Structure formats: C-alpha cells, structure tokens
Amino acid sequence: MKSLSRRFLVSVGLLSLVVTVLGALGAFVVFEKELSDRQIAYLGDYVRERTSNVDKRFSNLTALHRTASEELERRMDRLGPAEADRLADVYFPQLPDGTRRSAPKFFDGAMEQGQFTYGMGAFIGHAQELTPRDKRALVASFELVSGFGQAARKDYDNFYFFSPPASRLVMYGPNRPDHLMFYRHDAPADLDISKEEIASITSPAADPSRATRCTNLQRLLQNKVGGRLATACLTPAYVHGRYVGAFGSSIELTGFFQKAVQTVIPGASTLIVTGKGELIAYPGFTGQGGASERTVATYERDFSLKTLVSTIAKEGRSDGVVTSPDGRQIVAYGRLEGPDWYLLLTYPKAAVAASAARSAAWVLVVGAMASILQTLLVVVLAQRTIVWPVRKLAASCEPETFGAAERPDVADVERRDDEIGVLAKALRREREKVEQVMASLEDRVSDRTAQLERANAEKSRFLANMSHELRTPLNGVIAISETLSKKQTTKKGRELAELIVSSGRLLERVLTDILDFSKIEAGEIKLARDEFAMTGLVAGIAELHRASAESKGLAFHWNVAEGAQGRFAGDTVRLTQVLSNLLSNAVKFTEEGEVRLAVDAYGAGVRFIVSDTGIGFDAEVKKRLFRRFEQADASIRRRFGGTGLGLAISRSLVELMSGQIEVASITGEGSTFTVRIPLERLEGDGIDESAQEEQVIDIVGARVLLAEDHPTNQKVVQLILDSVGVRPVIVENGALALERLKAERFDVVLMDMQMPELDGLSATIQLRAHERETGLARTPVIMLTANALDDHIRTSLEAGADMHLSKPIRAMALIEAIVQVMSARPADDERSAVA
C-alpha cells in the first residue's frame, strides 16, 4: 500500500507540475503580446491628445478669423458710401504721397465712436485706386481688428486684416517693439509685397476650400538678436461670395516648440517636422537658429524623416502609429492641420518588448509558485480524513452560504465521535442562533433605514421652511429699523433704532450659521473656483471689520506679504466667510489692544494669521474650541453672546478646501489663529481695484415693478426705494406682474419667489419666453425672496433671473443690486442687437 501510494503521489505531482508550467509559459506569451499592444496603443493615444492640445492654438485662431469675417459682412452691408468716406478720412487720412495711413492717436490710444482704440496701425497703398467696396471693407475691418485684437490679446499679440495683392493692411499690435512705425510712417508709397507668400496663400485660386493657411517658418523682423521663429496664419474673408481679403495673426513659435517637444515618457523623443519631412523642433531645441547639419543628418539617419513622413501621408489619417523605415522605432504621429506639420513621438521597439516582458514576468513567477503549491496539495490529499472535514465545516460557516440550499451537507462529519464531530455539532447550534439573529436584524435595519430617510427628508423641508418663515418677518424688522434709524433726530432715538438693527442682524447671523452647518453636515456645500487678487480680497475683508474694531478703541492692522501677492484661484465666498468669522471673534473678544491680519506664502499655498490681544483661553478650552455649539465657558456666552458655531463652520470649510486651521492662546494675553490653504497661483499681476472706475447710475425716477404678496414686505421695499426717489408699482402675484410687463416697460422687476396664482419662478420663465417671441429687450429681474438656500439661488438663475437677494433685505444691498442690473442692461441690449 505504501509503495502504491508513493507511486500515485509522484505520478500525479509530476503531471500537475508539467501541465502548470506549460500553462504558465503560454499565459506569459499571450500576456506579453497584450502588454506590447497596449503600450503601442497608449503611445498613439498620448500623441493624439498632445496633438489636439497643440493644434488648439491654430484651430482657435481659425474660429476667431471666421467670426471676424462674418461680422465684416454684416458691417459692410450697413455701411453706406458717405459714411465709409467719412470714416476712412478719420481712421486713415489721405497723404500727399498717394497713401492712406493711420493717425498716431490710434496707436497711442483715443476714444472714437464711443470706443477706446489703441495699438492700431494701417497702410493703404495706391489709395486713389480704392473701389467703394474696398473702402467699405477697410473701414469696417478697422473697428473689427481693434475689437477682436483687444479681446484675443491674451492669446495672440497681433491681429490684422490684409487685402492682397495690393499693399493694404490694418493691424492691431500694441506690443510690437517698432510700434508699427513701418506701416504708419516708414513704408514707401510704392511698397509691393505681391510676391510674398502672405499675398497669395489665401487667394481663391490658392485656397479654394477657404481654409486657414500658414506661411513657412520665418524669423521675426523685430527680433534683432537670435533666431526666434514665427508663422503667419490667415483665413480668407468673403462678402456675399466675393473675396475681399484675409484676417490673420503672426504666431511666435520658439517657446511653443520648446514646450511641444517635451515628453514625460522616459526613453521617448518628440519631434516636429513639416509635411515635406523637414526637421523643425527636436529634444534640446532652443530656437536660436535652425537645426545644424549634423543634427539633421543624425535624425535623418536614425529615422529617415522624409521617408517616414511620406509613409504617414499615404495612410491619409490625422493620427496613428507606424514603424520607422528601419523597423527599430515605434512612431506615433499626429497632424497639425493649420501649418501642415507633424508631431512625432518615437520609442524604441526593443524597449516596448523589454518592458512588456518585465511586466509579464510575474506570470512565470506565479506559475512556478502554483506548480509547487499544486504538488503540495496533491500530497495533502493523503490527509483527507482531517483536511476535508475541516474544509467542509469552514464552508458551512461562510457568510455567503447562510442559506440552507447553498450550505454543504456536514451530517457525515457531525456523526463522527472525535473532536471534529464535537466541533461540527457546536458549530451547527451556533449557526442556528446566528441565522435567527440575522433574520430579525435585516428587518430592523430596513425599518431603521426607512426612518432615517424620512427624518432626513423632513429635516430638509424643515430647514427650508424655517429659513423662509424666519427671514420673512426679519425682512420687515431689519429693513424698517434701518430706515427708522436714519430718520431719528435724537441720539437716544438713534441708539434704540440701531439696537433693533443690530439685534435683527444677530438673529440673521444665527439663522445663517445654523443653515450653513446643516449644509456642511449633509455634504451639500460645493466649492467654487474664482480668480481673484489676494490683496484686493484681503483688503475688502479687513476694511469690513476695521470700523467695528475702531469703535471699541482697538488698533486694527493688516498686511499681505510680497510672496502672497498676485492672483489666485479658489472659493472667495468661503474664504471670506472663514476670515470674517475669525476677525469677528477677534474683535468681539478683545477689550483693548489690537487685532492683526497677516497673509504670507506657505509652501504651495497661502497662510492667514489672525491675532488679537483679547481674553485668550487655556489648553482645556482649546480641545473643544472647534466643536459645534461650544464656547470657552458659560460666562463667555452670557457676556458676548453667539451660537458657538462660527469656529466649527470655519474648521469644516477650511478642511473642505484641503487646508488646516490651528490656534495658540494664552489666557488674558490673546489668541492667534493660523489658517493654511493650498490655493492655486495664477500667472499675471493682481487686479488693482483702486484703478477701476465705478459706473454711477442715477436711479431717481426709475420704473420699478414689485411683485410681492406680503404687505409688510411691500412696505419694506417701498420705504427703501422712496429714500432714493423711486416709487415702485406694486402687484400681488406673478400673473398681475406679467400683465403689467406686457402692457408697459419697466427698468427693473423685483420678484418674490412664492406668490399665489403664479409664483415668481413661473412668472420669470414666461417673461423670458414673451421677450424672445416679441423681440423685446431683456428686462432685468431680481429675485427678492426669503428662500435663501443654494438650490433656491440656482433655480432662480436657471429660470432667467439676473440676481437673487435673500431676505431680510439690506437697503444698500437692494439699491446696489438695482444700480448693477440697470448699468449692465445697455451692454446686454447691445450684445443682443449684434447677435
């Protein structure tokens, strides 16, 4: 028996080992081939994405040119001969040498036709030969080049209209080192560029498809040192099917090439070649002069560029993967449509195979381990009297086999009279108990889940109703008390009125804190991405708290370190909320001394430090300071008031922005709160708010329609508007508001959201539909409602409202909102007319 058992175990073990090894080798070959194909596909996808990103610079320019061409046709249709003659004499007066050239003021900056024009230069040769159509085209293009050039200045530093074959050019180029003096003054009267490539590439004969065409690479004329490369890209302009010229831009390509040839794939090389196989850019490209003969010879030898590009062109695809002529390189390519260039990424074919083999090697390792394990398991079969019963018992106890139909039969194991039999009986009894508990647990969990879902829905409805119901009476209390405060003639009367205002504001702050914290707990707060100047943002926040600090006799200081100045991207509303909470607490808990706000750079983000010389606190208080509804002690709440939610909300918002907040304090000496937030730094200087001029609109006598069903709210708005000389027309619901709007024009509509018969949202939607159907100008709509949640604001704007103001209404906020929408309306109307 022992000999037979040994022979059986040896034969089965060897057979298992051979089969497993062969299977592992086969899996290795298949997997290695799959990995190689995936790596090659990845190279193709990588180059396709890179090509798409690189080509956007040209495709965006094409879209800009085509838009300008469409606008040129519209403007020429509306430009009469007399007006064209008058504007031609304004934009480029006739000179004694027979040319027309732009006046210096249009480059230096001038207000003409209500538009600020700068950076413009124009040269019109043989002006006496201008046809009326040519003159209209040049006059219309002067304004278009100025407007489009200014709009696209960030991406393209020049924009021009060129009318070949005559030397007629209208150009926007404020950053040109020569200040366009060549065209404005130096160009000879008989300037002839008809033989230049730029004069012919967009003609109907050369470009019947009317596509954007780019010239061959050329050196920038204004670059006297080095060899910076550029190309001129032009799109033909047709007016009623007749060719009138082309819109174009010159693109400086040295830095563009240097970025394009960079690659994040180790061992790969990125090249840019022309459609003829000529090398343009390569690893190590600097832009100073062309590639040396040695460099060109090296790449021609290694890649046979002309043959390679010819092979790619025959495929007729915009992107793909091919093998180099010598068969040693994988070449992924993408075509740049505008200039007809190719972006090539080369990778050694041997490296692809080696990488795939390394990645697939684990199959052999696993196969070897599986062979050994399988052999051992065959031997272990001899121990079936112990292993099998235990495995059967273990399988019966798996969670997924709790069902009687799936559980293996262990009756034969339970009949054993040894230790395994005792264990099997005990497991069966315990399993029966667990099944009873699980059966009842599922029901309890289901019931509890339903209860929690109902409770959550009820909480959401309660918060929305609470917000609306509390803000409606608060609107009357705060707004009327503000008006009442302004009308008091005695100091005592003003103090009493201001006490009402401050109490109402405190109640509003408590309500807002509770709602904010509920939204944070529910995960409903989403961060926005705003671009802002750090100094301007901090200045605005600091100045809001300076008055309250100085009213207590406190010194208030703030500064932004040089390293933190500039432009950033982040959620300005939540950042303002955090800093305002910290500054408000600092002022509140400081009786004498000073409050400081310091901002500096910290690693990849910005650090905000708020310090004071107030009451401070000890280490025990610090442990619970950021909990909700927590303050230092009961005396603090009695003395200073507050909900204790401000710091909890601040911590949650900072963590939501991936930041950290810390605090250090000494009792009786003050506290220092430090906030670190990883803000994205943007290129460019910060915005100088002081340099921006505010447009002042006089709203005295403005036509304002108020749709509001609540008498108190009607009176509140009427009192606020009466103070600035505006008498609103008041209606009680949206249906009446629509009737008045269809019958007469108003400057602004103040629309409540919840009203009988027809609510504010439905009324606004119907108003916008009526304006579109009748072609009426857009009437600004401001939602004036106690519905203040984020969903309410989003719904208002989606319905067509221009702004959303939450009750309780602040008098200045309402007036500023009316001024803002009234000042924005003319620009909107103008854009609508153009479109």
Side-chain angles (χ1 to χ4, degrees), residues 655-697:
E655 292 176 350
L656 189 62
M657 292 185 282
S658 302
Q660 300 162 338
I661 183 169
E662 300 174 353
V663 61
S665 182
I666 300 176
T667 303
E669 297 184 13
S671 306
T672 299
F673 287 82
T674 302
V675 177
R676 300 181 183 89
I677 299 177
L679 296 175
E680 176 188 354
R681 182 179 287 273
L682 304 176
E683 295 183 359
D685 298 331
I687 302 171
D688 184 4
E689 290 84 357
S690 63
Q692 298 178 347
E693 297 182 359
E694 295 183 357
Q695 183 179 12
V696 179
I697 300 295

Coordinates of all heavy atoms in Angstrom, one line a residue, residues 655-697:
E655 N -11.2 72.6 6.0 CA -10.9 71.2 5.7 C -11.5 70.9 4.3 O -10.9 70.1 3.5 CB -11.4 70.3 6.7 CG -10.7 70.4 8.1 CD -11.3 69.5 9.2 OE1 -12.4 69.0 8.9 OE2 -10.7 69.4 10.2
L656 N -12.7 71.4 4.0 CA -13.2 71.2 2.7 C -12.3 71.8 1.6 O -12.3 71.2 0.5 CB -14.6 71.9 2.6 CG -15.5 71.6 1.4 CD1 -15.8 70.1 1.3 CD2 -16.8 72.4 1.4
M657 N -11.6 72.8 1.9 CA -10.6 73.4 0.9 C -9.3 72.8 1.0 O -8.3 73.3 0.5 CB -10.5 74.9 1.2 CG -11.8 75.7 0.8 SD -11.6 77.5 0.9 CE -11.8 77.7 2.7
S658 N -9.2 71.6 1.7 CA -7.9 70.8 1.8 C -6.9 71.6 2.7 O -5.7 71.5 2.5 CB -7.3 70.5 0.5 OG -8.2 69.7 -0.3
G659 N -7.4 72.4 3.6 CA -6.5 73.2 4.4 C -6.5 72.8 5.8 O -7.0 71.8 6.2
Q660 N -5.8 73.6 6.7 CA -5.7 73.3 8.1 C -5.8 74.6 8.9 O -5.5 75.7 8.4 CB -4.3 72.7 8.4 CG -4.0 71.4 7.7 CD -2.5 71.0 7.6 OE1 -1.7 71.9 7.8 NE2 -2.2 69.8 7.4
I661 N -6.4 74.4 10.1 CA -6.6 75.6 11.0 C -6.0 75.2 12.3 O -6.3 74.1 12.8 CB -8.0 76.1 11.1 CG1 -8.2 77.3 11.9 CG2 -8.9 74.9 11.5 CD1 -9.5 78.0 11.8
E662 N -5.2 76.1 12.9 CA -4.6 75.9 14.2 C -4.8 77.1 15.1 O -5.0 78.2 14.5 CB -3.1 75.5 14.1 CG -2.8 74.3 13.2 CD -1.3 74.1 13.0 OE1 -0.5 75.0 13.4 OE2 -0.9 73.1 12.4
V663 N -4.6 76.9 16.4 CA -4.8 78.1 17.3 C -3.8 77.9 18.4 O -3.5 76.8 18.9 CB -6.3 78.1 17.8 CG1 -6.6 76.9 18.6 CG2 -6.5 79.4 18.7
A664 N -3.3 79.1 18.8 CA -2.4 79.2 20.0 C -2.9 80.3 20.9 O -3.3 81.4 20.3 CB -1.0 79.4 19.6
S665 N -3.0 80.1 22.2 CA -3.6 81.2 23.0 C -3.0 81.1 24.4 O -2.7 80.0 24.9 CB -5.1 81.0 23.0 OG -5.7 82.1 23.8
I666 N -3.0 82.2 25.1 CA -2.6 82.3 26.5 C -3.7 83.1 27.2 O -4.1 84.2 26.7 CB -1.3 83.1 26.7 CG1 -0.2 82.3 26.0 CG2 -0.9 83.2 28.1 CD1 1.2 82.9 26.0
T667 N -4.2 82.6 28.3 CA -5.3 83.3 29.0 C -4.9 84.7 29.4 O -3.9 84.9 30.0 CB -5.7 82.4 30.2 OG1 -6.1 81.1 29.8 CG2 -6.9 83.1 30.9
G668 N -5.8 85.6 29.0 CA -5.5 87.0 29.4 C -4.5 87.8 28.5 O -4.4 89.0 28.6
E669 N -3.9 87.1 27.5 CA -2.9 87.7 26.7 C -3.3 87.7 25.2 O -2.8 88.5 24.4 CB -1.5 87.1 26.8 CG -1.0 87.2 28.2 CD 0.4 86.6 28.3 OE1 1.0 86.3 27.2 OE2 0.9 86.4 29.4
G670 N -4.2 86.9 24.8 CA -4.7 86.9 23.4 C -4.6 85.6 22.7 O -4.1 84.6 23.3
S671 N -5.0 85.5 21.5 CA -5.0 84.3 20.7 C -4.5 84.6 19.3 O -4.6 85.7 18.8 CB -6.5 83.8 20.6 OG -7.1 83.6 21.9
T672 N -4.0 83.5 18.7 CA -3.5 83.6 17.3 C -4.1 82.3 16.5 O -3.8 81.2 16.9 CB -2.0 83.5 17.2 OG1 -1.5 84.7 17.9 CG2 -1.6 83.6 15.8
F673 N -4.9 82.6 15.5 CA -5.5 81.6 14.7 C -4.7 81.5 13.4 O -4.5 82.6 12.7 CB -6.9 81.8 14.4 CG -7.8 81.5 15.5 CD1 -8.0 82.5 16.5 CD2 -8.5 80.3 15.7 CE1 -8.8 82.2 17.6 CE2 -9.3 80.1 16.7 CZ -9.5 81.0 17.7
T674 N -4.2 80.4 12.9 CA -3.4 80.2 11.7 C -4.2 79.3 10.8 O -4.5 78.2 11.1 CB -2.0 79.6 12.0 OG1 -1.4 80.5 12.9 CG2 -1.2 79.5 10.7
V675 N -4.4 79.8 9.6 CA -5.1 79.0 8.5 C -4.2 78.8 7.3 O -3.7 79.8 6.8 CB -6.4 79.7 8.1 CG1 -7.1 78.9 7.0 CG2 -7.4 79.9 9.2
R676 N -4.0 77.6 6.9 CA -3.2 77.3 5.8 C -4.0 76.6 4.7 O -4.7 75.6 5.0 CB -2.0 76.3 6.1 CG -1.0 76.9 7.2 CD 0.1 75.9 7.4 NE 1.0 76.4 8.5 CZ 0.8 76.2 9.8 NH1 -0.2 75.5 10.2 NH2 1.7 76.7 10.6
I677 N -4.1 77.2 3.5 CA -5.0 76.7 2.4 C -4.1 76.6 1.2 O -3.5 77.6 0.8 CB -6.2 77.7 2.2 CG1 -7.0 77.7 3.5 CG2 -7.0 77.2 1.1 CD1 -8.2 78.7 3.4
P678 N -4.2 75.5 0.5 CA -3.4 75.3 -0.8 C -4.2 76.0 -1.9 O -5.0 75.3 -2.6 CB -3.3 73.8 -1.0 CG -4.5 73.3 -0.2 CD -4.8 74.2 0.9
L679 N -3.9 77.3 -2.2 CA -4.6 78.0 -3.3 C -3.7 77.9 -4.5 O -2.5 78.0 -4.5 CB -4.8 79.5 -2.9 CG -5.7 79.7 -1.7 CD1 -5.8 81.2 -1.3 CD2 -7.1 79.2 -2.0
E680 N -4.4 77.8 -5.7 CA -3.7 77.8 -6.9 C -3.2 79.2 -7.3 O -4.1 80.1 -7.4 CB -4.6 77.2 -8.0 CG -4.0 77.2 -9.4 CD -5.1 76.8 -10.5 OE1 -6.2 76.5 -10.1 OE2 -4.8 76.9 -11.7
R681 N -2.0 79.3 -7.6 CA -1.4 80.6 -8.0 C -1.6 80.8 -9.5 O -1.2 79.9 -10.3 CB 0.0 80.8 -7.6 CG 0.6 82.2 -8.0 CD 2.1 82.3 -7.5 NE 2.2 82.4 -6.1 CZ 2.2 83.5 -5.4 NH1 2.0 84.7 -6.1 NH2 2.3 83.6 -4.1
L682 N -2.1 81.9 -10.0 CA -2.2 82.2 -11.4 C -1.2 83.1 -11.9 O -0.6 83.9 -11.1 CB -3.6 82.8 -11.6 CG -4.8 82.0 -11.1 CD1 -6.1 82.8 -11.4 CD2 -4.9 80.7 -11.8
E683 N -0.9 83.1 -13.2 CA 0.1 84.0 -13.8 C -0.5 85.4 -13.9 O -1.7 85.5 -14.1 CB 0.6 83.4 -15.1 CG 1.3 82.1 -15.0 CD 1.8 81.7 -16.4 OE1 1.5 82.4 -17.4 OE2 2.5 80.6 -16.5
G684 N 0.4 86.4 -13.9 CA -0.1 87.7 -14.1 C -0.2 88.5 -12.8 O -0.1 87.9 -11.7
D685 N -0.2 89.8 -12.9 CA -0.3 90.7 -11.7 C -1.7 90.7 -11.1 O -2.7 90.4 -11.8 CB 0.1 92.1 -12.0 CG 1.6 92.1 -12.5 OD1 2.3 91.3 -12.1 OD2 1.9 93.0 -13.3
G686 N -1.8 91.0 -9.9 CA -3.1 91.2 -9.2 C -3.9 92.3 -9.8 O -3.3 93.2 -10.4
I687 N -5.2 92.3 -9.6 CA -6.0 93.4 -10.1 C -6.0 94.5 -9.2 O -6.2 94.4 -8.0 CB -7.5 92.8 -10.3 CG1 -7.5 91.6 -11.2 CG2 -8.4 93.9 -10.8 CD1 -8.8 90.9 -11.2
D688 N -5.8 95.7 -9.7 CA -5.7 96.9 -8.9 C -7.1 97.5 -8.8 O -7.6 98.2 -9.8 CB -4.7 97.9 -9.5 CG -4.6 99.2 -8.6 OD1 -5.2 99.2 -7.5 OD2 -3.9 100.1 -9.0
E689 N -7.9 97.2 -7.8 CA -9.2 97.7 -7.7 C -9.3 99.2 -7.7 O -10.3 99.8 -8.1 CB -9.9 97.1 -6.5 CG -10.2 95.6 -6.6 CD -9.0 94.7 -6.2 OE1 -7.9 95.4 -5.8 OE2 -9.1 93.5 -6.1
S690 N -8.3 99.8 -7.1 CA -8.4 101.3 -7.0 C -8.3 101.9 -8.3 O -8.8 103.1 -8.5 CB -7.2 101.8 -6.1 OG -6.0 101.5 -6.8
A691 N -7.8 101.2 -9.4 CA -7.7 101.8 -10.7 C -9.0 101.6 -11.5 O -9.1 102.2 -12.6 CB -6.5 101.2 -11.4
Q692 N -9.9 100.8 -11.0 CA -11.1 100.6 -11.7 C -12.1 101.7 -11.4 O -12.4 102.0 -10.2 CB -11.7 99.2 -11.3 CG -10.8 98.1 -11.7 CD -11.4 96.8 -11.3 OE1 -12.3 96.7 -10.5 NE2 -10.8 95.7 -11.7
E693 N -12.7 102.2 -12.4 CA -13.7 103.3 -12.2 C -15.1 102.7 -12.1 O -15.4 101.8 -12.9 CB -13.6 104.2 -13.4 CG -12.3 105.0 -13.5 CD -12.4 106.0 -14.7 OE1 -13.4 106.0 -15.4 OE2 -11.4 106.6 -14.9
E694 N -15.8 103.1 -11.2 CA -17.2 102.6 -11.0 C -18.1 103.4 -11.8 O -18.0 104.7 -11.8 CB -17.5 102.6 -9.5 CG -16.7 101.7 -8.6 CD -17.2 101.7 -7.2 OE1 -18.1 102.5 -6.9 OE2 -16.6 101.0 -6.4
Q695 N -19.0 102.8 -12.4 CA -20.1 103.5 -13.2 C -21.2 103.9 -12.3 O -21.8 103.0 -11.6 CB -20.6 102.6 -14.3 CG -21.6 103.3 -15.2 CD -22.0 102.3 -16.3 OE1 -21.8 101.2 -16.3 NE2 -22.7 102.9 -17.3
V696 N -21.5 105.1 -12.2 CA -22.5 105.6 -11.3 C -23.8 105.8 -12.1 O -23.8 106.5 -13.1 CB -22.1 107.0 -10.6 CG1 -23.2 107.5 -9.7 CG2 -20.8 106.7 -9.9
I697 N -24.9 105.2 -11.7 CA -26.2 105.3 -12.3 C -27.1 106.0 -11.4 O -27.3 105.7 -10.2 CB -26.7 103.9 -12.7 CG1 -25.7 103.2 -13.6 CG2 -28.1 104.0 -13.3 CD1 -25.6 103.8 -14.9

